[in-house]
Amino acid sequence: MKKTVIAIMGPTAVGKTKLSIEVAKQFNGEVISGDSMQIYKGMDIGTAKIKEEEMEGIPHHMIDMKEPDEEFSVADFKNYVQNYIDEISNRNKLPILVGGSGLYIQAALFDYNFSNQKRDETLTRQLEDRIKREGPLPSYNRLKEIDPVQAEKIHPNNHRRLIRALEIYETTGLTMTEYQNNQTFESPYYLVLIGLEMERAQLYEQINQRVDVMVEEGLVDEVSKLLEKGYEGCQSMNAIGYKEFIPYFRGEKSLEESIEILKRNSRRYAKRQYTWFKNKMDITWYDMTDTNNRNEKFPMILDDLAGILKNT
């Protein structure tokens, strides 16, 4: 029998965390973070990492596992999540994957194969040598030309992922995006996919408010401490919530400008999240537009889940 996994997905600031706690309490579950940045220690406010008091005693996984200067790939995420699903299921508890990192979640739930394209060792060495000679930017600009979708996901200093994306194109004639899209997915799990959505204007307002709260809670100081530790050029600092303040600390932008840019980037990211989830997975969506209606929506979702899980 396939292991049952609940996944709660949707854009930032839509209410996934609160729902996940209710689901875990009702169905004896444990939460696995589906946010690719919450893996990093010291990156708490900008990633909207759940606070201990908000967990209500529910075990949470995939949080605070890496230092900010450590690389962390989609393949790494997939392997960790699948191991946690096994561990939680083997304890007769329900794994609940919660987050908004679409490709990462899809990779874990549908057993995405990242390594079935054999490596060309000669080409790999050539690409590595070029980066050593010229730095990463020429290779990164090449990737932006051939595969802008992947270039947006890969930090220039993440040489391993940069080389792999270029290598796939050079050896197959397909970009990594095309290569991924051509794969067929069959999940090894019995999946219950829940999506939370919200009318766009209200969602954007909630995102703006969330950014203001993050700043009040000390986000700027959090970024400052990470920069003081020398993490500026790391993959992790390319995350939304962190990269926007680097120009401020360089004296290139005001704090107010940086905050507004963060709000804009967060809204744009939410739009991309919607597009990804709507196009890539068969999700049952629940409209959370009226947040006062949450007291009605959460019991409805829990009832729907009870009916589904009864038959697994």
Side-chain angles (χ1 to χ4, degrees), residues 73-79 81-82 85 97 101-114 180 185-189 276 280-281:
S73 68
V74 184
D76 295 329
F77 179 90
K78 178 196 114 168
N79 292 333
V81 168
Q82 291 187 339
I85 288 172
L97 182 61
S101 299
L103 174 62
Y104 286 73
I105 290 174
Q106 187 184 37
L109 295 182
F110 292 89
D111 202 22
Y112 196 95
N113 189 343
F114 290 90
Q180 292 172 352
F185 298 112
E186 182 177 348
S187 179
Y189 309 112
W276 177 276
K280 298 290 185 180
M281 285 186 270

Side-chain angles (χ1 to χ4, degrees), residues 32-43:
I32 304 170
S33 171
D35 184 307
S36 61
M37 289 295 120
Q38 292 186 356
I39 196 86
Y40 291 113
K41 300 174 184 176
M43 301 181 74

